[in-house]
Amino acid sequence: MKVSPSNPEQFLKEIGSIVSKQNFITDKAKTASYFKGFRFGGGDAKAVVIPKTLLELWRVVQVCVDHDVIMVMQAANTGLTGGSTPYGQYDRDVVLISTVKLKGIQLLDEGKQVLAFPGSCLFELEEELKPYNREPHSVIGSSCIGASIIGGVCNNSGGALVQRGPAYTEMALYARVDENQKLTLVNHLGINLGSEPERVLSALENKEYTKADIKYPDRSASDNGYQQKVREIDADTPSRFNNDGRLLYEASGCAGKLIVFAVRLDTFPKSKKDKVFYIGTNDTETLTGIRREVLGNFEHLPISGEYIHRDYFDVSDKYGKDSFLVIEKLGSEMMPKLFKLKNTIDSFLSKFSFLPKNIPDKLLQQSGKLFPDHLPKKMREFRDKYEHHLMLHMSDDGVDEAHKFLERFFEGSEGGYFICSESEGKKAFLNRFVAGGAAKRFHTLHPDCGAIMALDIALKRNETDWFEKLPPELDELVEAKLYNGHFMCHVMHQDYILKTGVDENEFKNKILSFFDAKGAEYPAEHNVGQLYTAKSELREFYRQNDPTNSLNPGIGKTSKNKHWCH
């Protein structure tokens, strides 16, 4: 039975006294864009609240706790598994708290570390760090769609960068609702900001602290053990996945079960030179050999090593061209704005039943055709010649090491490679990273197809049979299979477009059993959201962080009821 606030009118009045009228949205048409995820999800909530300061966020959360209202935290809304939108039915009223206006990046120690607020995005941090010749944890992939920094930490997002591992920190400022329904603030930033919660938040936001207040405790601000782990190519377990207890720590991996106000993270020096080696082959053993040599014997790890199959290359090329051009010409900061605008237009047009469906997608798809070919000629040639493509991005002394190795390697192996110019390298990676949105566009514009299912799989580090071969009883249910991934980490993103009439849940259960038999873990980096079942260690971590189940209940197919009751 659904429990409403003890005094609904008083609840709304109190929220309205904290945030301005335009930042407290109850109109269904205006809230719709917040309730639809980037690729999956969609539900309902009583209101959308958009605090403008950390202090406003604290006060809004306190009111929700006092009135026993569920909170779903949302940053950039770029999640791929529905983990930051309401979903299904709850036993209490729900409020979505959007942190998009809580911008704030503060650099520490000449940019060697950073404090990031909930609304800050990766591309903004890139800009802040440029004068220091440093970079954030991720500069490709999630940054292309405007993902938030804290969102990455809360989901242990892996990113594509081999040298840096999943987003992780043990230094955060967060609030939790304890077992007695009391809101408490925990400051593990390593900065002396006082003790009273409102004073702590004001001092941080206004930067009212000195160098003497900044401490360097024995707490990690990045996953500094990942390089060793990814090099262990004979290990019988994956290198990274969301259920990895090694990386579940307070805010890290919390998936919205805590209110995170700020995180402290390491940054990384930019390379002095870098090159992308574009590799093509028709033999999967060729890529297996390259991966094992690079990770097992190279002195210098690559920046990244991204795989894309020819079929996904084609889908990305055709259905991701408009996104490619927007990011290339206008910058990745435009993507979340355009995504939100598209959602708003979609919601408005859906009211008119006589109009065709998916008009914005159709217009965007046609717009890409107005522009010249966006991909380099050499990439086109490799697409025609080879089924499997690997983009190996090396830096500094690793460039010469990779060049010498590939020259020797392809003297006796099937396939080939070319060294990209700076422009070719950027375009190769951009075509790879618009793939997820392109698959969704493909499915949207082909309504006669069955469901689309996006899986996020971490293969064992010693897996050599990495290119999927489905058993016949599963393969016959699939219309199209699209594969790409972070190849060095053995994290594969696999999209299946099912045949019309195929039961989506039945197929999913069968294919996950198939991955279980291979010793794979899932999800690898997009977190459980509303698509995956959280395994026991992850469920227990959520319960410890949120004993009353007041924050994002139901995540990972867990209980949505208060105190986790069934």
Side-chain angles (χ1 to χ4, degrees), residues 329-342:
K329 306 299 182 186
L330 302 179
S332 58
E333 63 269 23
M334 286 299 296
M335 289 303 291
K337 297 175 184 177
L338 292 175
F339 171 63
K340 185 175 180 181
L341 176 61
K342 177 184 169 298

Side-chain angles (χ1 to χ4, degrees), residues 236-238 458-461 463 513-521:
D236 201 39
T237 57
L459 301 176
K460 297 185 298 183
R461 282 168 282 176
E463 181 66 76
S513 295
F514 169 75
F515 289 127
D516 288 337
K518 288 175 67 69
E521 289 279 355

Side-chain angles (χ1 to χ4, degrees), residues 211-332:
K211 283 188 177 181
D213 292 317
I214 304 172
K215 310 301 178 184
Y216 293 87
D218 187 21
R219 287 174 175 263
S220 297
S222 60
D223 181 11
N224 48 32
Y226 186 71
Q227 289 197 19
Q228 177 59 36
K229 190 170 186 181
V230 78
R231 281 187 178 275
E232 294 168 355
I233 54 176
D234 292 317
D236 201 39
T237 57
S239 57
R240 57 179 169 91
F241 51 97
N242 284 127
N243 192 47
D244 187 354
R246 184 179 71 92
L247 299 177
L248 299 176
Y249 188 92
E250 297 180 351
S252 295
C254 74
K257 303 298 283 184
L258 297 172
I259 309 291
V260 184
F261 292 90
V263 293
R264 181 171 169 178
L265 297 165
D266 291 331
T267 67
F268 304 87
K270 275 188 174 181
S271 56
K272 294 183 177 66
K273 69 173 182 177
D274 63 281
K275 284 290 182 184
V276 174
F277 297 85
Y278 199 100
I279 300 164
T281 182
N282 292 309
D283 186 350
T284 59
E285 290 185 5
T286 294
L287 297 190
T288 299
I290 290 173
R291 176 181 174 274
R292 291 184 62 84
E293 177 67 23
V294 169
L295 294 180
N297 297 319
F298 268 33
E299 180 181 354
H300 306 282
L301 280 175
I303 294 175
S304 59
E306 291 299 298
Y307 168 80
I308 189 167
H309 185 266
R310 177 192 281 153
D311 291 346
Y312 220 150
F313 180 109
D314 291 344
V315 168
S316 189
D317 172 24
K318 183 175 180 180
Y319 295 94
K321 184 177 180 179
D322 55 304
S323 296
F324 180 109
L325 293 171
V326 167
I327 296 169
E328 182 188 39
K329 306 299 182 186
L330 302 179
S332 58

Side-chain angles (χ1 to χ4, degrees), residues 280-283 310 378-389 414-417:
T281 182
N282 292 309
D283 186 350
R310 177 192 281 153
K378 290 180 183 177
M379 281 178 63
R380 294 276 182 213
E381 292 172 352
F382 265 52
R383 180 261 166 229
D384 293 340
K385 193 173 182 180
Y386 299 116
E387 180 181 1
H388 306 284
H389 298 234
E414 188 274 337
Y417 76 98

Side-chain angles (χ1 to χ4, degrees), residues 537-554:
E537 188 165 9
L538 198 54
R539 288 201 308 271
E540 184 56 31
F541 178 65
Y542 292 160
R543 291 188 68 152
Q544 290 175 1
N545 277 342
D546 182 23
T548 64
N549 209 16
S550 299
L551 288 149
N552 210 5

Side-chain angles (χ1 to χ4, degrees), residues 93-117:
D93 279 332
V94 181
V95 165
L96 186 147
I97 301 176
S98 170
T99 64
V100 290
K101 294 190 177 181
L102 296 175
K103 301 287 188 181
I105 292 173
Q106 298 175 6
L107 303 183
L108 307 176
D109 192 17
E110 297 297 311
K112 292 184 178 66
Q113 288 189 326
V114 59
L115 298 176
F117 291 2

Side-chain angles (χ1 to χ4, degrees), residues 32-50:
S33 64
Y34 294 89
F35 298 158
K36 184 178 181 181
F38 182 79
R39 190 166 178 180
F40 174 84
D44 197 11
K46 193 175 186 67
V48 173
V49 185
I50 314 172

Side-chain angles (χ1 to χ4, degrees), residues 472-483:
E473 64 270 20
L474 282 176
D475 198 49
E476 65 183 10
L477 303 177
V478 180
E479 188 72 41
K481 294 169 288 191
L482 303 171
Y483 302 129

